[in-house]
Amino acid sequence: MAVERTLSIIKPGAVAKNLIGKIITRFEEEGLRIIAARMVHLTPEQAGAFYEVHRERPFYAELVKYMTESPIITLVLEGENAIARNRQLMGATDPSKALPGTIRGDFAVSVTRNTVHGSDAPETAATEIAFFFSQADLISAR
Ligand code: CDP
Ligand code: MG
């Protein structure tokens, strides 16, 4: 296993409901380290670009609207196998299929308003981290 980095986003609904601390606690208790963090209020152009891969999907417009409705927290998590471990903590995309004890299982309200984003592979993690952070923002030497 390799030390990986992954992009996590605490989505607008979760920030609005004061769930930042509860969600970050899950990452920390799992042993993932936060090596960058920033609050951002995305423009429609930024949210649209971030989810470019989904542009032709029927949910794209609703997703962009949701992601821009209020601020998000962007995080870079680091650790052994961080990408898959974060996806496990998140649970299934559709919260009705997410297990209790996962972030989405416990907090998500719908498939669109599903609390968190997490990169799904090393290539997407690198692209998504670079979307929000420069190399100098990543503080992993502790
Ligand atoms: O976020 P994840 O990688 O689990 O799922 P995705 O398939 O990459 O979809 C990205 C995001 O689009 C999801 O997290 C949902 O917020 C949204 N989505 C949606 O609104 N309706 C769907 N049927 C599928 C995804
Ligand atoms: Mg995805």
Side-chain angles (χ1 to χ4, degrees):
M1 270 196 299
V3 174
E4 294 175 337
R5 293 171 173 180
T6 189
L7 184 81
S8 169
I9 298 177
I10 305 176
K11 293 185 178 183
V15 173
K17 283 197 269 179
N18 270 1
L19 292 171
I20 297 169
K22 284 201 174 79
I23 293 169
I24 285 181
T25 295
R26 304 237 176 160
F27 301 142
E28 292 190 330
E29 287 183 343
E30 168 66 14
L32 295 171
R33 301 208 61 107
I34 294 164
I35 65 161
R38 186 182 299 130
M39 181 175 273
V40 188
H41 194 156
L42 292 175
T43 65
E45 291 70 28
Q46 288 172 316
F50 182 77
Y51 280 117
E52 181 64 39
V53 66
H54 295 307
R55 188 173 289 275
E56 303 306 325
R57 308 285 290 278
F59 58 82
Y60 180 75
E62 185 189 357
L63 176 61
V64 169
K65 186 161 177 278
Y66 173 50
M67 291 301 290
T68 56
E69 73 178 23
S70 58
I72 60 172
I73 298 288
T74 56
L75 303 164
V76 180
L77 308 177
E78 184 180 76
E80 288 280 340
N81 208 18
I83 296 167
R85 282 165 67 203
N86 179 44
R87 297 285 308 192
Q88 284 240 295
L89 287 175
M90 290 163 59
T93 306
D94 179 347
S96 70
K97 302 193 177 98
L99 298 176
T102 64
I103 296 169
R104 286 166 165 173
D106 292 350
F107 301 126
V109 299
S110 72
V111 63
T112 299
R113 307 179 72 86
N114 64 356
T115 318
V116 281
H117 167 85
S119 307
D120 61 7
E123 301 72 32
T124 47
T127 309
E128 290 176 0
I129 290 168
F131 189 93
F132 289 106
F133 297 99
S134 69
Q135 278 301 317
D137 294 327
L138 308 176
I139 317 289
S140 65
R142 288 184 285 175

